[in-house]
Every structure is written in C-alpha cells, then in structure tokens.
Amino acid sequence: MYSLIIPVYNRPDEVSELLESLVQQTYTDFEVIIVEDGSIVPCEDIVKAYESRLNIRYFSKQNEGPGLTRNYGAKVSGGEYLIFFDSDCIIPAKYMQIVDRSLNAHPLDAFGGPDQAHPSFTPVQKAISYSMTAFLTTGGIRGGKKKMDRFHPRSFNMGFSREVFQVTNGFSSMRFGEDLDMSLRILRSGFTTGLIPEAFVYHKRRTDFRKFFKQVHNSGIARINLHKRHPGSMKAVHFLPALFVIFSGIAVICAMFGWLFPLIVLNLYLLAILIDASMQSKSLYIGFLSVTATIVQHFGYGTGFIKAYWKRIILGQDEFHAYRTNFYK
C-alpha cells in the first residue's frame, strides 16, 4: 500500500480539487493523510466529505513548516511507500497506476516526476508553469529528461520507501529547500533515486507574480543554504539567474551610453521565450505573460541567490530567509 501525504496551510479549496482527482485514480491501493499545519482556515470539513470515497485520515498540529509536517504524516501512515504532494496539485487519473507499474518493473528507493499546467489554470498560472518547466528557462534542469542520473525529487511530486524515511529521519526543519535537502541526504545515504517521466502532476504554483517572486526569491536563498549544508551540491547552472540579473543591469547601463548590443541580446532571449511559450500554449497572451514570468523568476531567484551568496559565503553569516511565512510551494 502507498501512503499519500499532503501538508496543508490555509488552502481548503485546493484540497477539495486535489482529493477529487484522487477519487478518479485507476489504481486505488493507497491511503491519504492530510496534515493541517496550524491553519487559520482549516480543511477538516472538506476532508470529511471525502471519507466515504477515499481511505483518508485528517490530522491537525501547530505550525512548523512543510518538512516537519510531512514527517508527522509519515509517522502516522502505514504504507510501504510514502508519496508527497503539495496541496495545490491535481493528480492525473493514471498517476498511481503508472507509479506502481514503474516501481514493480524498476524498483527505486526514491522517485519523483515532473509537473505540467492543467487546462483549467489561469493564464498567469500557465505562464508561471512555463517559466518553471521550459527548457529555455531554468526549468530545463527540473526533470524533463528520460534518464537523469542522481535525480533530485521535489516535494510537490516525491516518493520514497519507509526504509528511506527511517534511515534519514525524514525532512529537516529547513523552511525552504527542505525537499532538495532531503533528496541530497537520500543520495548521500546510498539509496537509489529516479525520475518517472510519465508520473506528472498538475501543479498550480503561485497565483500572481508578487507571490511568485517571493517563492523564487526564497529558492535563490535556499540554494546557498543548501550549498553550506551540502558542499559540492551547487552547480554552474544555479548561477544563471544571478548572471541574468547582472547582465540585465549591464545592458541597461550600456544602453544609456549608446551601446545597444547587450540590450539587443537580452531582447532576443525574451523574444525566444515569447515565441516558444506562445507555440506551446497556443496563445500569444500567455506567451507575453510567460515573458513576464521568466523575468520575475530570474530576478526573484537571482537576487535571492546574490543576497545569500554575499551574506553567507562572503560575510559568513548564519542561515536566513527573506519571506519567512511563505512556506508552501
């Protein structure tokens, strides 16, 4: 049996959509564990409405952030495999069938899958999804390849065996980047990880660009915090958003003095985003929104990365985050 564990913080409407998608699963040997992490607006009534349709249990605890809340759910669950979703996900009907078939054919200690935009998402949500998953953005490193050595599952679509949980003691108390910290510790403990490309979820992420900026800004900071916890985990690709920020500044300054080449290069990149996003979404409007989302993503992540690099690596300060209440991705 599988245990599906979902931490929730003030998102009853999203939980209803998620649970409705789980009712539609073609493979049904699973339980659902909902853990309310100190929400002001609880989802208990929503969960009760699904008790006759799902093997589901509801728990409520004080607010500690998503990592420790997932651990709480893991401890009260009974499945051999623990699968974690964010509350803003919608799960395709064949997801559990695909995962079970894949694990039976090619056993893994831990796994993850990609995410996509659902047709019902708003144009802004589709644009944000593009910026987080497209090859032309940093989304190209997040899990779209058929083979990925030492794959790092993300918490919106992440599973591992109970043995992994027992050996690693689960997620750390990090409020941001806790899923990558968990993936790195899984690999360091000698367990196998893998990508199941067909096991995708529909992930809403943020609903507006302001919230999206906060999320990716904290992600940029978290990358440096992870580097301090796991030396060697930071790769050259993680510097790209920071380089985008720096290059954009240089392009603007150069344009002020009449040298337009850097600005032309920058605009050509954004034009490529516009064309690619418009073709993928079949919407010029979403294409333009995707340009905005990409700029927000690069500047949010890049400025967080630069700030954390300066404070933690240059000045040697302790771990920090800019937006401490924005826990759930």
Side-chain angles (χ1 to χ4, degrees), residues 180-287:
L180 281 175
D181 172 72
M182 180 64 183
S183 290
L184 289 166
R185 289 189 291 110
I186 289 172
L187 287 165
R188 192 174 62 195
S189 298
F191 292 109
T192 59
T193 68
L195 171 71
I196 304 178
E198 298 82 8
F200 67 90
V201 301
Y202 299 113
H203 192 196
K204 290 182 180 178
R205 302 188 185 276
R206 289 299 177 245
T207 56
D208 61 56
F209 291 132
R210 180 183 62 84
K211 293 176 181 177
F212 183 47
F213 178 89
K214 290 183 176 182
Q215 177 191 8
V216 292
H217 189 79
N218 273 331
S219 295
I221 296 172
R223 174 51 63 184
I224 300 298
N225 291 336
L226 286 165
H227 167 70
K228 297 292 285 186
R229 289 188 178 217
H230 305 277
S233 63
M234 191 161 60
K235 309 299 181 184
V237 69
H238 298 130
F239 287 84
L240 290 179
L243 294 176
F244 179 89
V245 172
I246 295 169
F247 183 82
S248 297
I250 292 173
V252 171
I253 294 171
C254 289
M256 293 171 62
F257 289 93
W259 189 37
L260 299 179
F261 180 74
L263 192 60
I264 292 172
V265 171
L266 180 63
N267 285 329
L268 286 175
Y269 169 67
L270 297 178
L271 178 62
I273 295 291
L274 172 63
I275 294 171
D276 185 56
S278 298
M279 291 178 63
Q280 287 195 31
S281 64
K282 297 180 174 58
S283 167
L284 185 60
Y285 177 55
I286 294 176

Side-chain angles (χ1 to χ4, degrees), residues 47-266:
V47 174
K48 286 182 178 179
Y50 283 88
E51 287 179 344
S52 62
R53 306 168 69 190
L54 287 169
N55 178 11
I56 189 168
R57 290 185 287 159
Y58 173 86
F59 300 88
S60 181
K61 54 181 277 299
Q62 67 180 15
N63 181 265
E64 295 178 293
L68 297 184
T69 302
R70 295 185 190 104
N71 290 347
Y72 184 101
K75 291 175 182 176
V76 299
S77 68
E80 298 176 9
Y81 262 94
L82 313 175
I83 299 178
F84 302 90
F85 299 128
D86 285 352
S87 61
D88 58 352
C89 289
I90 297 174
I91 315 304
K94 293 185 178 180
Y95 177 92
M96 290 303 302
Q97 180 181 332
I98 290 168
V99 167
D100 184 67
R101 183 179 64 219
S102 179
L103 293 178
N104 283 326
H106 306 286
L108 292 166
D109 298 311
F111 72 91
D115 66 309
Q116 298 182 12
H118 192 271
S120 67
F121 288 3
T122 67
V124 170
Q125 287 173 325
K126 290 177 180 178
I128 290 174
S129 178
Y130 172 87
S131 73
M132 294 293 283
T133 59
F135 177 78
L136 290 177
T137 69
T138 56
I141 66 171
R142 290 176 177 270
K145 299 178 181 178
K146 291 292 181 180
K147 293 182 180 179
M148 291 189 72
D149 186 34
R150 296 175 64 80
F151 177 67
H152 300 127
R154 304 295 183 103
S155 59
F156 63 83
N157 183 3
M158 180 181 200
F160 48 77
S161 68
R162 185 162 296 277
E163 181 186 4
V164 167
F165 178 73
Q166 293 169 341
V167 170
T168 61
N169 293 316
F171 294 87
S172 72
S173 59
M174 291 180 72
R175 295 258 174 165
F176 303 94
E178 80 292 337
D179 52 353
L180 281 175
D181 172 72
M182 180 64 183
S183 290
L184 289 166
R185 289 189 291 110
I186 289 172
L187 287 165
R188 192 174 62 195
S189 298
F191 292 109
T192 59
T193 68
L195 171 71
I196 304 178
E198 298 82 8
F200 67 90
V201 301
Y202 299 113
H203 192 196
K204 290 182 180 178
R205 302 188 185 276
R206 289 299 177 245
T207 56
D208 61 56
F209 291 132
R210 180 183 62 84
K211 293 176 181 177
F212 183 47
F213 178 89
K214 290 183 176 182
Q215 177 191 8
V216 292
H217 189 79
N218 273 331
S219 295
I221 296 172
R223 174 51 63 184
I224 300 298
N225 291 336
L226 286 165
H227 167 70
K228 297 292 285 186
R229 289 188 178 217
H230 305 277
S233 63
M234 191 161 60
K235 309 299 181 184
V237 69
H238 298 130
F239 287 84
L240 290 179
L243 294 176
F244 179 89
V245 172
I246 295 169
F247 183 82
S248 297
I250 292 173
V252 171
I253 294 171
C254 289
M256 293 171 62
F257 289 93
W259 189 37
L260 299 179
F261 180 74
L263 192 60
I264 292 172
V265 171
L266 180 63

